[in-house]
Amino acid sequence: MNLSRARSPWVLHYDASSCNGCDIETVACMTPLYDIERFGAISIGCPKHADILLVTGTINHKSLRVLRNIYEQMTEPKVVAAIGICATSGGVFHQSYNLLGGVDKAIPVDVYISGCPPRPEAIIDAIVMGVEKLKKKGKEGLAGSAEASSG
Amino acid sequence: MSFRTIIPFGPQHPVFPEPIQLKLAVEDEKVVEAIPGLGYVHRGLEKGAELNDYVKNIYLAERVCGICSFIHSWTYCSCIETLLQVEVPPRAEFLRLVFSELSRVHSHLLWLGLYADAFGFESLFMQCWRVRERSLDMQEAGGGGRVILSTCTIGGMRKDLDEDMRRAFIKEVAEIRRDFQQIMTPFFEDYSIKKRTVGIGVLTKEDAQSLGAVGPVLRASGVAGDTRLLGYGPYREVDFEPVVEAGGDCHSRGKVRVREVLRALDLITQALERLPEGEIKTNFRGKLNGEVFQRMEQPRGEMLYYVKAGSNRSLDRFRIRTPTFANIPPLLKMLPGCDLADVPVIVLSIDPCISCAER
Amino acid sequence: MNEVQKDQLLDEVQNLWDNRSRFVTITCVDLVDEFDLIYSFDHNMELVNFRVKADKDRPFISISGIYAASFLVENEIQDQFGLKFENLEPDFKGFLLLSQDGPRTPMLRKVGERGKQEDVV
């Protein structure tokens, strides 16, 4: 089960409040030239199915609640990747009034990718790193549940 | 007896790459009313720009929207150039035209892909994005970035095209045209696409004008409204005619954009062939003074910048009216009366760029 | 740019509607004592602008009865500047773009907000 999860991570993309630059690069990863399906990853729209959440853009007051909702709906184990400099710290918009800062202000983040926007190669790298984390988390989860059942 | 239900559509929805919410009042399967819920991408960029030095704002203006970022920076720079009374060298103006039309090509191809995806034609989505990568490669070669170029600056351009690059660009444009012509026929003729789009989301000519529609949405309703006709920059020197379709439905909006890709490729070739020699940047000095309105045509339609100079090097007011903001009222007009299953296609047909609309 | 009095605004806008102008936008500028509202219309590809002064504490007139499309931008001004509009339909009550737990009327000028820049002459 853990192995198959790592071989086929399902990816969900949410735009928290980005300028679109990172979004289109994220979508570009799914198209023929970059093609993240090589790694078994497909993009889906339902948070309950997803293993990896790609968040682009900073958090604003309105998207905070939506992002937390999505994160809570995802099933364990789950990995969050912050795509782009806005998602890691706020980027060029840091002076704007409606922003809270990086994604880690809202939900725990496992992978950070910088760049404005990051190149598709970097986003693929984020997904691959996310898969490693996913494997680790899956193992820990497995050990935890075994202990629980034996104890 | 049907009763009314409110269905929240979005903000996170598989069809949209960006979050927008529509509260749809539905009777059975028919939409009767739509109320927009915005603000999921609102950053407060206009205020952020007032706190900055005006030169720094180029980078902020580029990041209003990552798709049409070059035209944003061009509009902003041209506002500041008017306030400072700086003359831009003709070569720089032509280069700006090349990159702005390139961003139109990549934006329309992106949209055509998403549009194909919205009615379930995934292979066409992949094909459009495959062709789009070629235009991104051109942007990267000429500007330095795939999406956000940062090559437009106050007084001109940052990077020049050398002669080899110019020839390579002309050749590449011809190849993009060839590739695109191979995949564009379905948008005109395919039976399933027609089934999903003809007569869906109709916007009449009168409604389009009275609700202030802009860009391809306006032109698909039979009005030849295109800000490029104003002849800003080098547009007065190239042969240009706006693309107009009469249907007013989703199919026409698709056709307008397909034909605009070809028109944009044609404009790029014209500009590259007539590229004047000379400098690409003039130095500037002086104080910002007064206020200025500047309109330019984005892939999504007319965009208006208002810049009011403040004391020192900051701006008193920086206002952006983006095309999607103007196209939301027409969208709310198109939705009532359609089937719930057609909502994604209709919403996509205005080419919503939410990060533009909310800034 | 022409200046139009507040009580002539609706007549002026009605004239523009009658000669089939397209509504472009309203720009609000905070002049500290009052607001400057700049209305922009497009008439045969030409930009028609005029200016109206608005008091800060009194509700202003909405033109959404004539140009329905203006509701979005009027709601936006209500959000950002706290200038209320009468007969606005639909009225988002200042929450079109902003959230309940976010800042209110963020575009209003505050004294000394530019900090360092204002010290440099």
XYZ file of all heavy atoms in Angstrom, chain A residues 17-19 22 56-60 82-105 112-116, chain B residues 43 45 60 63:
300
model
N -3.370 32.833 -3.159
C -3.606 34.132 -3.771
C -2.355 34.498 -4.527
O -1.621 35.388 -4.152
C -3.967 35.202 -2.751
O -2.878 35.515 -1.955
N -2.115 33.761 -5.589
C -0.887 33.990 -6.339
C -1.199 34.819 -7.573
O -2.337 35.165 -7.827
C -0.256 32.654 -6.714
O -0.445 32.384 -8.060
N -0.163 35.158 -8.335
C -0.362 36.013 -9.494
C -0.578 35.191 -10.733
O -0.547 35.733 -11.824
C 0.833 36.921 -9.687
S 2.251 36.056 -10.340
N 2.905 31.059 -10.994
C 3.206 29.721 -10.480
C 2.126 28.724 -10.880
O 2.413 27.555 -11.100
C 3.323 29.747 -8.964
S 4.481 30.931 -8.345
N 0.181 27.481 -4.236
C 0.902 28.599 -4.831
C 0.360 29.882 -4.225
O -0.815 29.981 -3.908
C 0.698 28.640 -6.353
O -0.697 28.604 -6.620
C 1.348 27.490 -7.038
N 1.210 30.861 -4.086
C 0.762 32.168 -3.620
C 0.682 32.271 -2.111
O 0.678 31.283 -1.385
N 0.641 33.523 -1.649
C 0.547 33.760 -0.214
C -0.874 33.522 0.270
O -1.779 33.359 -0.511
C 0.880 35.220 0.101
O 0.285 36.023 -0.886
C 2.338 35.459 0.117
N -1.024 33.576 1.573
C -2.347 33.369 2.159
C -2.983 34.728 2.384
O -2.358 35.621 2.946
C -2.215 32.670 3.519
C -1.376 31.417 3.387
C -3.578 32.326 4.088
C -1.951 30.394 2.504
N -4.236 34.906 1.969
C -4.943 36.104 2.390
C -6.064 35.714 3.347
O -6.296 34.529 3.604
C -5.410 36.946 1.202
C -6.567 36.360 0.455
O -7.208 35.412 0.903
N -6.847 36.909 -0.701
N 4.977 24.146 -0.795
C 4.767 25.566 -1.064
C 5.545 25.918 -2.322
O 6.762 25.821 -2.356
C 5.239 26.404 0.112
N 4.827 26.304 -3.381
C 5.443 26.549 -4.685
C 5.643 28.049 -4.870
O 4.690 28.809 -4.845
C 4.545 26.024 -5.819
C 4.190 24.561 -5.597
C 5.184 26.254 -7.166
C 5.276 23.610 -5.861
N 6.858 28.452 -5.072
C 7.138 29.855 -5.363
C 7.464 30.648 -4.114
O 7.147 30.259 -2.995
N 8.080 31.801 -4.353
C 8.561 32.600 -3.228
C 7.404 33.199 -2.433
O 7.494 33.398 -1.222
C 9.563 33.664 -3.730
C 10.384 34.240 -2.583
C 8.882 34.770 -4.479
C 11.363 33.264 -2.015
N 6.288 33.473 -3.099
C 5.127 34.017 -2.382
C 4.612 33.014 -1.369
O 4.218 33.370 -0.269
C 3.999 34.342 -3.341
S 4.391 35.630 -4.466
N 4.603 31.743 -1.766
C 4.077 30.735 -0.863
C 5.021 30.485 0.304
O 4.602 30.038 1.369
C 3.838 29.438 -1.624
N 6.327 30.766 0.097
C 7.243 30.545 1.209
C 7.287 31.734 2.163
O 7.373 31.555 3.363
C 8.658 30.232 0.718
O 8.959 31.124 -0.338
C 8.788 28.843 0.208
N 7.177 32.982 1.619
C 7.336 34.098 2.544
C 6.451 35.304 2.267
O 6.307 36.166 3.112
C 8.790 34.567 2.517
O 9.039 35.157 1.265
N 5.872 35.415 1.095
C 5.080 36.614 0.787
C 5.582 37.340 -0.429
O 4.818 38.024 -1.089
N 6.864 37.188 -0.731
C 7.422 37.704 -1.969
C 7.232 39.189 -2.174
O 7.300 39.976 -1.224
N 6.962 39.587 -3.429
C 6.843 41.008 -3.751
C 5.631 41.652 -3.101
O 5.550 42.868 -3.020
C 6.736 41.275 -5.265
C 8.060 41.235 -5.922
C 5.753 40.368 -5.932
N 4.686 40.858 -2.681
C 3.461 41.445 -2.142
C 3.539 41.702 -0.643
O 2.526 41.989 -0.022
C 2.277 40.529 -2.425
C 2.115 40.175 -3.859
C 2.167 38.865 -4.279
C 1.937 41.157 -4.809
C 2.036 38.539 -5.609
C 1.802 40.846 -6.146
C 1.855 39.530 -6.538
N 4.733 41.570 -0.065
C 4.795 41.586 1.391
C 4.230 42.856 2.009
O 3.834 42.849 3.167
C 6.241 41.370 1.848
C 7.143 42.518 1.494
N 7.537 43.429 2.424
C 7.685 42.894 0.332
C 8.297 44.334 1.814
N 8.397 44.023 0.551
N 4.147 43.959 1.222
C 3.642 45.201 1.790
C 2.122 45.310 1.727
O 1.556 46.218 2.300
C 4.238 46.382 1.026
C 5.640 46.705 1.455
C 6.201 47.845 0.643
O 6.044 47.875 -0.565
N 6.844 48.773 1.293
N 1.494 44.434 0.979
C 0.066 44.565 0.763
C -0.714 44.220 2.025
O -0.288 43.393 2.824
C -0.370 43.671 -0.380
O 0.438 43.938 -1.496
N -1.887 44.870 2.168
C -2.585 44.802 3.451
C -3.317 43.498 3.696
O -3.622 43.149 4.809
C -3.575 45.969 3.572
C -4.545 46.079 2.410
C -5.662 45.260 2.345
C -4.336 46.993 1.391
C -6.535 45.359 1.285
C -5.200 47.089 0.331
C -6.311 46.271 0.284
O -7.163 46.357 -0.765
N -3.645 42.776 2.622
C -4.566 41.657 2.809
C -3.860 40.321 3.013
O -4.499 39.290 3.001
C -5.503 41.586 1.597
C -6.841 40.995 1.938
O -7.270 41.054 3.083
N -7.498 40.399 0.968
N -2.557 40.354 3.205
C -1.823 39.100 3.227
C -1.325 38.739 4.617
O -1.035 39.602 5.434
C -0.626 39.173 2.276
C -0.979 39.418 0.825
C 0.273 39.490 -0.006
C -1.886 38.337 0.307
N -1.226 37.439 4.845
C -0.770 36.957 6.150
C 0.672 36.477 6.110
O 1.296 36.326 7.148
C -1.660 35.807 6.609
C -3.107 36.192 6.905
C -3.951 34.949 7.031
C -3.173 36.997 8.182
N 1.184 36.198 4.909
C 2.545 35.692 4.800
C 2.556 34.340 4.130
O 1.659 34.033 3.350
N 3.574 33.539 4.422
C 3.721 32.255 3.741
C 2.644 31.254 4.100
O 1.868 31.443 5.036
N 2.638 30.151 3.346
C 1.644 29.107 3.568
C 1.790 28.499 4.955
O 0.815 28.071 5.573
C 1.790 28.024 2.479
C 0.870 26.854 2.721
C 1.525 28.611 1.120
N 3.029 28.497 5.474
C 3.247 27.849 6.779
C 2.551 28.588 7.925
O 2.502 28.081 9.042
C 4.739 27.652 7.056
C 5.551 28.887 6.754
O 4.916 29.947 6.563
O 6.782 28.800 6.708
N 2.016 29.783 7.644
C 1.211 30.457 8.668
C -0.128 29.748 8.859
O -0.795 29.915 9.878
C 0.959 31.915 8.261
C 2.210 32.754 8.198
C 2.327 33.596 9.460
C 3.720 34.118 9.687
N 4.337 34.820 8.588
N 9.568 23.347 0.415
C 9.533 24.729 -0.053
C 10.292 24.826 -1.371
O 11.396 24.310 -1.479
C 10.216 25.664 0.946
C 9.530 25.796 2.274
C 9.859 24.966 3.331
C 8.564 26.772 2.469
C 9.235 25.094 4.551
C 7.937 26.913 3.692
C 8.276 26.075 4.734
O 7.652 26.208 5.941
N 9.695 25.499 -2.341
C 10.386 25.736 -3.612
C 10.396 27.231 -3.857
O 9.360 27.870 -3.822
C 9.658 25.023 -4.769
C 9.704 23.514 -4.597
C 10.235 25.414 -6.104
C 11.053 22.897 -4.753
N 11.574 27.798 -4.101
C 11.636 29.230 -4.338
C 11.583 29.500 -5.832
O 11.532 28.602 -6.647
C 12.905 29.806 -3.735
O 13.991 29.256 -4.402
N 11.595 30.768 -6.185
C 11.530 31.159 -7.587
C 10.278 31.970 -7.844
O 9.290 31.821 -7.153
N 10.379 32.886 -8.825
C 9.221 33.717 -9.089
C 9.014 33.844 -10.573
O 9.522 34.771 -11.168
C 9.379 35.089 -8.469
S 7.931 36.119 -8.706
N -5.008 40.733 -2.992
C -3.768 40.927 -2.240
C -3.634 42.341 -1.722
O -2.935 42.586 -0.767
C -2.574 40.625 -3.154
C -2.387 39.187 -3.450
C -1.712 38.993 -4.783
N -2.661 39.139 -5.866
C -2.324 39.179 -7.138
N -1.077 39.109 -7.501
N -3.233 39.313 -8.071
N -2.779 44.950 -3.923
C -1.599 45.374 -4.656
C -1.568 46.876 -4.908
O -0.512 47.489 -4.927
C -1.618 44.615 -5.976
C -0.408 44.583 -6.861
C -0.322 43.225 -7.486
C -0.477 45.614 -7.928
N 6.090 44.956 -9.449
C 4.787 44.692 -8.847
C 3.728 44.622 -9.942
O 2.867 43.745 -9.926
C 4.466 45.811 -7.851
C 3.535 45.448 -6.717
C 4.054 44.256 -5.959
C 3.391 46.628 -5.784
N 3.459 41.479 -11.721
C 2.899 40.368 -10.962
C 1.434 40.585 -10.596
O 0.925 39.943 -9.693
C 3.755 40.095 -9.735
C 5.016 39.357 -10.127
C 6.125 39.513 -9.136
N 7.320 38.805 -9.572
C 8.221 39.298 -10.419
N 8.044 40.485 -10.956
N 9.272 38.593 -10.741
